[in-house]
Amino acid sequence: MKSMKFVHLTDTHMNAPSSEGPFAKFKLAEKVKQTFRHLRDANVAPDFVLITGDLSHEGDAADYAYIRTVIDECSALIGAPVHVVLGNHDHRSAFRQGYLGESPTEEAYYYSLDFNGLRLIGLNSQVAGRHDGELDAAQLAWLKDELATPAPLGTIIGIHHPMMSVRGMSGDHLLANRAQLGDVIEDTDVIGVMAGHVHSNNVGTYRGIVNVAAAGTAFTGELADAENYKMVDFCGFNIVDISEEGISIQTTVLPTSGEEYFRFPIAMLVAQH
């Protein structure tokens, strides 16, 4: 069996330099560039890079046009394609117009790609106005049909909202209809589900399938105390290796200040649902 390798990034929260949003001062696009420079210098040489959502933080078409220039620059730097899915802070119409150069529509963005026998499927779990996620019936039906034919090296699914619980986070941050997704992917060739959203590294299994929720490049979250959750300066990514022996995930953390960006009551996480 041919071995494959890809890099999993998430939650970049980028905006154009002219943006006056809440994260503008943190220069989050520079963190993404730093990550790709590290991939180049460390000779990681992935077959592709997957970014699992929250590309922007409430961005408009101009933000996504800028993000596209950053991603294209980074892709050229390592000589590998970069594929993305949308998160709860993304906007479908603005993404289609600014990033894809298409007419702005609210249609779900999902796809299936082949990388020398490894299938990558990107799904759109983002639902406008909600912090949790859900896959619509059309995507689930499409996914079932897609998985009816196995890929030689198996299938990786990229999605923003995790399927498994995360310590300190309410279940309202998960994929609301994860049981339905589980029904579709169980006993298929799916070998891994890559997610983001929760800003912490979590690796486990759901119905025997490897599930990963990565921390992201923008910041990470953790319990500050019994009543509060905090976000701190962080930048990391996962390297995913796939071979005949299975799938392995190596987390790399790049140097940052570790500064606390902000904190908020845990109760707010529930209220956001």
Side-chain angles (χ1 to χ4, degrees), residues 206-255:
Y206 188 92
R207 302 198 187 181
I209 299 171
V210 172
N211 269 248
V212 180
T217 61
F219 43 82
T220 191
E222 61 185 15
L223 289 172
D225 52 45
E227 298 180 351
N228 295 285
Y229 205 77
K230 65 180 180 180
M231 296 294 187
V232 300
D233 185 11
F234 179 91
C235 185
F237 61 89
N238 290 328
I239 301 173
V240 184
D241 283 285
I242 298 166
S243 70
E244 60 184 5
E245 295 182 336
I247 180 171
S248 68
I249 296 96
Q250 175 186 339
T251 298
T252 299
V253 177
L254 301 181

Side-chain angles (χ1 to χ4, degrees), residues 32-101:
V32 175
K33 295 178 183 180
Q34 174 193 8
T35 298
F36 278 83
R37 288 194 297 267
H38 178 87
L39 294 176
R40 177 199 61 191
D41 296 344
N43 195 31
V44 174
D47 292 283
F48 62 90
V49 175
L50 171 66
I51 305 179
T52 53
D54 281 359
L55 309 177
S56 179
H57 194 83
E58 312 300 343
D60 58 19
D63 288 308
Y64 284 106
Y66 169 72
I67 291 169
R68 184 59 187 259
T69 65
V70 172
I71 295 302
D72 285 349
E73 173 188 328
C74 289
S75 175
L77 192 67
I78 64 169
V82 179
H83 297 285
V84 304
V85 301
L86 299 183
N88 59 296
H89 287 290
D90 287 310
H91 297 279
R92 295 180 183 182
S93 290
F95 167 79
R96 285 192 175 276
Q97 184 177 9
Y99 192 92
L100 298 180

Side-chain angles (χ1 to χ4, degrees), residues 184-200:
V184 172
I185 66 176
E186 192 172 24
D187 297 323
T188 67
D189 72 339
V190 174
I191 56 176
V193 178
M194 307 293 145
H197 187 47
V198 293
H199 287 271
S200 62

Side-chain angles (χ1 to χ4, degrees), residues 26 64 107 109 137 149 158 165 169 183 190-191 196 220 223 233 269:
F26 300 133
Y64 284 106
E107 293 180 9
Y109 176 67
T149 303
S165 61
M169 280 272 185
D183 289 342
V190 174
I191 56 176
T220 191
L223 289 172
D233 185 11
L269 295 175

